[in-house]
């Protein structure tokens, strides 16, 4: 008999369209369909290539083959990896495609249609006043790009997404900083920036302190605001193994994500794949945005149950008394009133944490993408410290990162949030002068600055700046104020057709990770550096360029030989040497070309409670409980009878960020993109019905004809898919990290008027 505690209905109500387990046979069907299709041989070849998976930060694959994780365990590729590769090995966009399709036509493409156009395979430009993208020569590209970079440094910016290599990331930031600009906006600004900020304040580190090996020793995992069954599938194997060895898992999420209840993993074909393995021992469903209150509640219960580790707090932390006081001062009524989780469930969570020996606290976007995202992270880490769970084997704080190399971008210095002292000094020595003291624009600040006409030139290393931002109308308008925008990309996306510059928009087709003619490296969310071997592209007659080649050529034209011989750096071995000399913890990069030794970055994994803060202790910060209100319908320009809900904007099962691979989400029972997942109680309270069509109105726009889907989600909350939904709201911004509150968006929902004749 299972001892697992799950909330009673109506929270765990599901609709009949959804499967009983996450993962399971559909995963195998997907593998079979793709690997046995005409693209199969190419897919297999790529899967076996010695390079890291393109998709998520879990970081599977590398020198020991595509299927191995850093512990040398085999069969670690998931279906998401196949999905990502399959999108990259598509045929090229036909040579005359852009001649026959105007920009106006292209602006009507959905995300999925844009991706399905094929691989970008020749450079194009859209000139002011022209109706079509047209081919452009490399000479003209370099002339235009160099001229764009020669504008005054504070008017030049970059944006990047975490799929490119460490080498490209390092070169990008060196080129921009050598101009005297710190405008290095990055997708992490929209993602884990609150984790980076909070961990740096508390522990003087910016990343997870847990290694994969460490995770294998945990006897409890608290997974908050992360839908890992969709977004980090190989983490699920670790959770299954943890349950098998008698450990406990607490899941905290306003949505009952089926894969976090039970997951069928192909890695365990007999015992797990079909029946599914239990994941959550305890599943708590808080009100979106209330995690601080919930964690303060857990802290209160830990104190009441005698689990406060005072000895540890005294020896290894500062500021703990205020945290204890805060937990004691807030009443149970206040806490449960804010988070909506009953006291016995919070107490049960505290008992599980308090009686476990080694607890790992993991989290993702459900924690960071809130107006108080930094406080959310503080409250999780405070809970970990109160139980002595940071700085020991098998325990710690583990932000579950996004893109496959987003963490590497941070390590390489692609950030506008300030560098580690050591790295700043190393760069200043290299540049022979101080870095600019003008704070750079992060992603939101970049959009605001562009909107105000303060940006002349923007270079985008991957990503979809337009589609990833809230308020797409503003994003489009803002990008349109920039004179020159240069996109380096592997595939077309809606940003290339809607994020258009005032004068010139240039799209440069690049080789991806498994196609580059040179070696590259990436860093996983577990702080492990992977070496990717050289590869070949299937686009034989195409005119693509490696990112490193483009960046070094451009930098050479702008900077001459300052501060390095850029053209020499086209051999990425020399970039790795520079990285080894200037990036803290990356010393082993200097010799990786000879040794081929992939490595864990020095100083990141904490197995002893010794922190790099000035006092050597972890600093704890109090976390004000959030006041969670929702506007009135009229504040959103909606009819008075509208239902106001707090909307979670998230990923469907088959998408990678702004790129949609398939329109439905079978695990949540959402058949297409224009659906809203809500609790039946809410709908019925407002006189709405399942499959009814509604208008969903935010503070910046509305979506019409949206289909209601009933699901296992807290009453008062709803879920829709990004990027489509980004058109309806302008998000609140977390003040310390700049991250938008994508997970608590106030919306008004109302039935469409029935036109009578
Ligand atoms: N296949 C695939 N893999 C991916 C990605 C992808 O798009 N596709 N994207 C990559 C990137 S860049 C990232 S950042 C990660 C994203 O990985 P996730 O963070 O898992 O992605 P989201 O879809 O944003 O899901 C957030 C989860 O938080 C929950 N949540 C929302 N609000 C709250 C709240 O207030 N409190 C709590 N406790 N939970 C809440 C939601 O219900 C949802 O389950 O995945 C990475 N991996
Ligand atoms: N409403 C809402 N908005 C969100 C989020 C949310 O949860 N809700 N999540 C936010 C998060 S966590 C993130 S990380 C951002 C994601 O924001 P981005 O990282 O900007 O967007 P992606 O969709 O990942 O970018 C995909 C594009 O990258 C390009 N690309 C892929 N591989 C490569 C490569 O190797 N090199 C180059 N040069 N280009 C490549 C392709 O052109 C592809 O179309 O979105 C954010 N926006
Ligand atoms: S878990 Fe992430 S890194 Fe591992 S194979 Fe799947 S998508 Fe790739
Ligand atoms: Mo992300």
């Amino acid at each position: 008999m299972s001892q697992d505690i799950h909330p009673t209905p109506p929270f765990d109500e599901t609709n009949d369209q959804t499967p009983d387990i996450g993962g399971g046979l559909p995963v195998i069907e997907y593998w079979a369909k793709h690997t046995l299709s005409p693209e199969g041989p190419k897919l297999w070849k790529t899967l076996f290539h010695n390079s890291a998976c393109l998709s998520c930060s879990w970081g599977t694959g590398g020198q020991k083959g595509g299927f191995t994780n850093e512990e040398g365990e085999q069969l670690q590729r998931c279906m998401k990896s196949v999905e990502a590769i399959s999108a990259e090995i598509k045929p090229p966009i036909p040579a005359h495609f852009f001649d026959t399709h105007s920009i106006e036509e292209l602006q009507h493409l959905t995300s999925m249609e844009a991706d399905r156009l094929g691989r970008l395979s020749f450079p194009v430009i859209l000139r002011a006043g022209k109706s079509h993208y047209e081919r452009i020569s490399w000479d003209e590209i370099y002339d235009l790009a160099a001229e764009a970079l020669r504008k005054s440094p504070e008017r030049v910016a970059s944006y990047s997404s975490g799929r490119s290599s460490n080498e490209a990331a390092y070169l990008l930031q060196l080129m921009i900083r050598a101009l005297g600009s710190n405008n290095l906006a990055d997708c992490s600004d929209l993602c884990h920036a609150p984790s980076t900020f909070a961990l740096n304040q508390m522990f003087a580190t910016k990343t997870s302190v847990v290694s994969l090996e460490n995770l294998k020793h945990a006897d409890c995992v608290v997974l908050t605001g992360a839908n890992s069954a969709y977004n980090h599938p190989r983490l699920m194997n670790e959770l299954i193994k943890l349950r098998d060895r008698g450990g406990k898992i607490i899941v905290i999420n306003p949505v009952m994500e089926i894969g976090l209840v039970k997951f069928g993993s192909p890695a365990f074909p007999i015992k797990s794949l079909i029946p599914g393995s239990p994941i959550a021992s305890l599943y708590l469903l808080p009100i979106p945005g209330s995690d601080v209150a919930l964690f303060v509640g857990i802290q209160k219960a830990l104190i009441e149950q005698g689990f406060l580790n005072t000895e540890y707090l005294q020896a290894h932390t500062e500021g703990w008394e205020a945290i204890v006081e805060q937990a004691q001062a807030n009443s149970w009524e206040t806490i449960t009133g804010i988070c909506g989780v009953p006291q016995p469930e919070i107490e049960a969570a505290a008992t599980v944490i308090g009686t476990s020996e080694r607890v790992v606290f993991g989290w993702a976007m459900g924690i960071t993408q809130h107006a108080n995202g930094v406080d959310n992270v503080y409250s999780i880490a405070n809970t970990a410290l109160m139980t002595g769970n940071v700085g020991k084997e098998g325990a710690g704080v583990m932000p579950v990162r996004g893109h496959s190399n987003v963490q590497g971008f941070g390590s390489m210095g692609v950030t506008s949030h300030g560098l580690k002292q050591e790295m700043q000094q190393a760069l200043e020595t290299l540049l022979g002068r101080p870095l600019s003291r003008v704070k750079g624009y992060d992603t939101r600040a970049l959009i605001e600055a562009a909107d105000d006409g303060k940006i002349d030139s923007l270079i985008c290393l991957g990503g979809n700046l337009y589609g990833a931002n809230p308020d797409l109308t503003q994003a489009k308008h803002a990008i349109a104020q920039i004179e020159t925008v240069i996109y380096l990309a592997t595939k077309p996306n809606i940003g290339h057709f809607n994020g258009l510059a005032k004068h010139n928009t240039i799209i440069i087709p690049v080789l991806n990770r498994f196609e580059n003619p040179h070696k590259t490296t990436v860093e996983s969310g577990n702080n492990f550096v992977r070496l990717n071997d050289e590869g070949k592209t299937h686009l034989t007659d195409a005119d693509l360029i490696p990112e490193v080649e483009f960046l070094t050529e451009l930098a050479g034209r702008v900077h001459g030989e300052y501060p390095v011989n850029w053209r020499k750096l086209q051999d990425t071995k020399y970039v790795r040497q520079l990285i080894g000399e200037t990036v803290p913890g990356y010393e082993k990069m200097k010799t990786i070309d000879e040794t081929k030794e992939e490595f864990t970055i020095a100083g990141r994994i904490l197995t002893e409670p010794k922190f790099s803060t000035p006092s050597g202790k972890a600093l704890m910060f109090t976390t004000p409980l959030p006041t969670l209100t929702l506007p009135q319908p009229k504040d959103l320009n909606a009819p008075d009878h509208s239902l106001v809900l707090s909307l979670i904007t998230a990923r469907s099962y088959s998408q990678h960020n702004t790129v949609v691979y398939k329109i439905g989400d079978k695990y949540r029972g959402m058949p297409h993109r224009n659906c809203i997942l809500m609790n039946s109680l809410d709908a019925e309270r407002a006189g709405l019905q399942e499959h009814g069509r509604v208008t969903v109105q935010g503070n910046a726009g509305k979506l019409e004809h949206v289909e209601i889907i009933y699901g296992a989600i807290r009453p008062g909350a709803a879920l829709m898919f990004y990027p489509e939904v980004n058109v309806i709201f302008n998000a609140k911004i977390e003040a310390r990290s700049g991250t938008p509150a994508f997970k608590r968006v106030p919306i008004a929902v109302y039935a469409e008027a029935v036109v009578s004749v």
Side-chain angles (χ1 to χ4, degrees):
M1 274 289 287
S2 162
Q3 296 292 309
D4 300 353
I5 307 176
H6 291 154
T8 42
F11 292 168
D12 66 353
E13 184 183 302
T14 81
N15 67 34
D16 12 315
Q17 308 301 316
T18 51
D20 298 331
I21 61 168
L25 277 182
V27 174
I28 299 295
E29 282 157 21
Y30 183 95
W31 267 91
K33 185 169 152 228
H34 282 260
T35 50
L36 300 175
S37 74
E39 73 181 23
K42 250 188 278 174
L43 235 169
W44 280 115
K45 200 169 141 232
T46 311
L47 283 165
F48 279 112
H49 185 252
N50 284 352
S51 59
C53 167
L54 298 174
S55 188
C56 89
S57 62
W58 204 245
T60 309
Q63 284 302 294
K64 296 207 180 85
F67 285 89
T68 7
N69 67 15
E70 59 257 50
E71 290 295 295
E73 292 168 314
Q74 292 293 325
L75 277 180
Q76 295 291 321
R77 277 281 172 126
C78 76
M79 168 256 168
K80 297 289 154 192
S81 185
V82 177
E83 205 169 46
I85 296 170
S86 163
E88 292 288 318
I89 57 177
K90 290 285 180 276
I93 295 180
H96 295 292
F97 176 82
F98 290 109
D99 304 340
T100 49
H101 294 84
S102 71
I103 191 69
E104 211 206 320
E105 256 177 83
L106 297 174
Q107 286 183 340
H108 286 109
L109 296 181
T110 61
S111 162
M112 191 172 82
E113 288 164 346
D115 188 68
R116 289 195 176 175
L117 294 177
R119 274 291 291 273
L120 292 163
S121 50
F122 48 89
V124 288
I125 181 169
L126 182 71
R127 301 177 201 270
K130 289 289 174 70
S131 55
H132 290 69
Y133 267 110
E134 59 191 82
R135 243 183 129 132
I136 177 176
S137 71
W138 288 103
D139 276 344
E140 193 186 355
I141 291 176
Y142 286 121
D143 286 347
L144 290 173
E147 195 188 317
L149 290 195
R150 288 196 190 100
K151 299 281 171 159
S152 96
E154 69 281 5
R155 299 182 65 85
V156 177
S158 69
Y159 170 75
S160 45
S161 166
R163 228 190 228 187
S164 307
S165 62
N166 284 332
E167 288 75 3
Y170 188 88
L171 291 166
L172 176 73
Q173 64 88 33
L174 191 61
M175 177 176 81
I176 297 286
R177 291 193 198 276
L179 294 171
S181 171
N182 291 319
N183 294 332
L184 290 152
D186 184 68
C187 68
S188 57
D189 302 331
L190 307 173
C191 183
H192 263 296
S195 310
T196 308
F197 180 93
L199 294 174
N200 197 31
Q201 294 291 310
M202 293 183 75
F203 306 107
T205 188
K206 297 182 177 180
T207 62
S208 170
V209 306
V210 183
S211 63
L212 177 58
E213 200 231 328
N214 249 295
L215 182 60
K216 291 179 184 298
H217 292 114
D219 60 354
C220 174
V221 166
V222 180
L223 189 68
T224 311
N227 184 16
S228 307
Y230 283 26
N231 298 318
H232 303 90
R234 281 298 162 264
L235 168 57
M236 301 308 293
N237 286 350
E238 301 308 320
L239 300 182
I240 292 170
K241 286 188 265 181
L242 182 140
R243 289 298 309 264
D244 279 355
R245 58 179 187 266
K248 296 248 161 54
I249 295 167
I250 302 175
V251 174
I252 302 176
N253 198 314
V255 181
M256 182 76 93
E257 304 283 16
I258 186 65
L260 303 181
V261 177
K262 232 176 181 197
F263 189 80
S265 171
F268 312 106
I270 296 174
K271 73 165 194 214
S272 171
L273 181 64
I274 294 172
S277 302
I279 303 297
S281 330
L282 177 62
Y283 205 122
L284 307 183
L285 290 103
I287 290 169
S290 73
D291 294 80
V292 163
L294 175 58
F295 275 93
V296 168
I298 293 177
Q299 293 161 14
K300 188 177 180 69
L302 283 167
I303 299 167
E304 290 176 1
Q305 295 175 15
F307 290 121
L308 189 70
N309 191 339
T310 325
E311 211 177 301
Y312 175 95
L313 289 170
Q314 279 167 346
H316 306 299
T317 70
E318 282 177 42
W320 63 275
E321 298 88 345
I323 313 303
V324 172
E325 208 177 294
Q326 167 182 269
Q328 286 170 330
N330 283 297
S331 69
W332 276 115
E333 204 183 357
T334 309
I335 289 168
T336 54
I338 295 173
C339 71
V341 179
Q343 187 179 336
E345 289 179 21
I346 302 179
E347 287 172 338
T351 309
V352 171
I353 295 169
T355 54
S356 297
E357 293 284 313
R358 293 172 297 279
V359 188
V360 169
F361 293 79
W363 67 89
M365 296 304 102
I367 282 301
T368 59
Q369 293 176 337
H370 283 289
N372 63 343
V374 168
D375 287 336
N376 275 341
V377 179
Y378 282 158
S379 70
I380 294 176
N382 285 344
T383 311
L385 287 168
M386 287 166 90
T387 46
N389 272 306
V390 189
K392 78 177 177 196
E393 195 90 33
V397 284
M398 182 181 77
V400 185
R401 296 273 164 180
H403 278 291
S404 52
N405 194 34
V406 64
Q407 199 169 293
F409 268 71
S411 299
M412 296 303 115
V414 179
T415 175
S416 56
H417 295 289
L419 291 169
K420 278 194 167 170
Q421 196 67 28
E422 266 173 285
M423 179 153 180
Q424 179 169 334
Q425 271 163 10
L427 286 177
E428 293 187 341
T429 307
L430 179 66
L431 291 166
R433 60 170 158 81
L435 295 181
S436 165
R437 293 293 181 258
V438 181
K439 188 179 171 351
Y441 297 121
D442 64 18
T443 303
R444 282 309 303 163
L446 170 65
I447 292 290
E448 298 294 342
D451 218 8
D452 293 343
K454 292 182 183 159
I455 305 291
D456 292 330
S457 314
L458 174 69
I459 177 161
C460 292
L461 184 57
N464 182 353
L465 178 64
Y466 161 78
N469 265 283
D471 193 351
L472 298 185
T473 314
Q474 183 205 22
K476 188 174 199 164
H477 182 265
I479 298 170
Q481 311 310 308
I482 304 173
E483 286 177 3
T484 311
V485 177
I486 301 165
Y487 292 113
L488 277 79
T490 55
K491 298 287 299 278
N493 63 47
I494 53 171
H496 301 142
F497 306 141
N498 292 282
L500 302 176
K502 196 195 249 174
H503 297 166
N504 292 311
T505 312
I506 300 171
I507 310 179
I508 297 179
V510 297
L511 295 165
N512 67 32
R513 184 173 304 164
F514 55 78
E515 296 171 335
N516 277 314
H518 44 244
K519 290 192 188 337
T520 57
T521 58
V522 290
E523 168 184 333
S524 80
N526 304 325
N527 300 298
F528 194 72
V529 175
R530 291 286 190 184
L531 180 64
N532 307 308
D533 276 354
E534 301 84 349
K536 269 208 183 102
T537 178
H538 63 291
L539 303 166
T540 37
D541 295 326
D543 194 9
L544 294 105
I545 192 164
E547 292 166 326
V548 165
E549 186 182 329
F550 178 75
L551 292 169
T552 45
E553 182 61 36
L554 176 59
R557 288 183 188 226
V558 176
H559 294 302
E561 295 220 346
Y562 172 75
V564 285
N565 179 344
W566 294 94
R567 291 196 177 94
K568 184 174 160 198
L569 296 179
Q570 294 196 347
D571 183 342
T572 53
K573 183 171 81 190
Y574 297 109
V575 188
R576 284 186 284 283
Q577 282 176 6
L578 257 185
I579 294 171
E581 280 155 20
T582 50
V583 178
Y586 260 81
E587 294 73 19
K588 287 192 172 167
M589 271 293 245
K590 282 186 259 182
T591 50
I592 197 169
D593 284 84
E594 288 78 51
T595 60
K596 308 265 185 298
E597 189 197 332
E598 299 178 314
F599 60 92
T600 297
I601 300 153
R604 299 269 179 95
I605 307 301
L606 298 181
T607 47
E608 284 178 75
K610 287 189 188 142
F611 307 103
S612 304
T613 51
S615 63
K617 295 183 174 187
L619 272 53
M620 295 173 80
F621 297 91
T622 52
T623 51
L625 302 194
T627 313
L628 301 175
T629 52
L630 282 172
Q632 294 298 314
K634 66 173 175 354
D635 303 327
L636 295 167
N637 290 323
D640 285 344
H641 65 271
S642 307
L643 174 67
V644 176
L645 297 171
S646 110
L647 180 73
I648 294 167
T649 67
R651 292 152 178 80
S652 75
Y653 183 62
S654 281
Q655 75 180 77
H656 192 93
N657 297 337
T658 70
V659 180
V660 176
Y661 295 131
K662 236 171 123 183
I663 61 165
D665 182 342
K666 60 173 163 285
Y667 295 102
R668 294 191 184 114
M670 296 165 84
H672 55 85
R673 305 285 303 172
N674 203 28
C675 291
I676 181 165
L677 188 78
M678 63 166 85
N679 191 288
S680 60
L681 287 182
D682 281 328
E684 279 153 23
R685 174 160 67 91
L688 303 169
Q689 291 165 4
E690 180 155 41
H691 307 303
R693 297 285 177 159
V694 286
T695 300
V696 179
Q697 174 103 42
N699 63 3
K702 62 184 173 190
L703 282 171
E704 290 178 324
H705 215 54
V706 180
E707 182 176 353
I708 294 182
I709 300 295
Y710 287 173
I713 181 168
R714 248 204 98 90
L719 182 143
M720 289 177 78
F721 299 137
Y722 113 92
E724 294 87 339
V725 75
N726 287 14
V727 77
I728 73 167
F729 66 96
N730 190 330
K732 281 192 190 152
I733 305 298
E734 211 284 339
R736 291 156 288 188
S737 58
T739 301
F742 287 124
K743 295 293 189 272
R744 191 184 158 81
V745 178
I747 50 160
V749 179
Y750 53 93
E752 285 174 3
V754 181
V755 184
S756 52
V757 271

